[in-house]
Amino acid sequence: MFYLSNGCFFLQRAREMGRGKIAIRRIENSTSRQVTFSKRRNGLLKKAKELSILCDAEIGVMVFSSTGKLYDFPSTRLLTIFSTPFFLLLKSLISQADTDVFSDLDSVNPIACFS
């Protein structure tokens, strides 16, 4: 668009297309919510992997879905920690949908799992 101001023309760029801002609140549509969760989870795990590689950082990410499924990313040295009995127990408890995971974890001593 051209505008005339004090005898001079100015060229104003049209608004560029880009990502719009979204309100951070719960998505009511369950299908949209699941798709968003899947995309953002994959993006988060990808960023964790990239950060681990680029910066030689030790990264551990655990994401629990609304259905209780566990998704995790351990960097190389954390892989041994994610394979400890504590985390294996955690994964198995979460896979059981009818079990209240957190009440069962009260009886687990995480320090004993690492020794």
Side-chain angles (χ1 to χ4, degrees):
M1 276 184 171
F2 291 98
Y3 292 98
L4 181 60
S5 175
N6 297 332
C8 298
F9 285 99
F10 294 97
L11 177 64
Q12 181 179 2
R13 282 194 342 206
R15 188 166 237 184
E16 295 179 14
M17 292 298 292
R19 296 181 190 201
K21 291 187 178 186
I22 63 163
I24 301 299
R25 57 182 158 75
R26 185 177 187 270
I27 299 171
E28 296 302 325
N29 184 314
S30 62
T31 304
S32 296
R33 186 172 52 244
Q34 179 59 38
V35 169
T36 301
F37 173 78
S38 179
K39 287 181 179 181
R40 287 182 175 244
R41 179 198 69 226
N42 290 337
L44 177 65
L45 297 178
K46 181 180 177 183
K47 291 289 185 187
K49 182 179 180 181
E50 291 171 355
L51 182 62
S52 172
I53 293 168
L54 290 172
C55 302
D56 196 26
E58 292 304 316
I59 308 290
V61 178
M62 297 177 72
V63 179
F64 299 92
S65 72
S66 60
T67 60
K69 188 169 180 184
L70 170 65
Y71 301 90
D72 59 355
F73 168 78
S75 58
T76 309
R77 285 181 272 180
L78 288 178
L79 188 57
T80 57
I81 294 173
F82 273 58
S83 300
T84 60
F86 174 73
F87 284 104
L88 295 176
L89 172 65
L90 183 64
K91 286 181 181 181
S92 68
L93 288 174
I94 291 170
S95 66
Q96 300 170 4
D98 59 339
T99 304
D100 182 10
V101 174
F102 299 106
S103 66
D104 289 346
L105 289 178
D106 290 337
S107 63
V108 177
N109 181 0
I111 304 302
C113 294
F114 292 110
S115 55

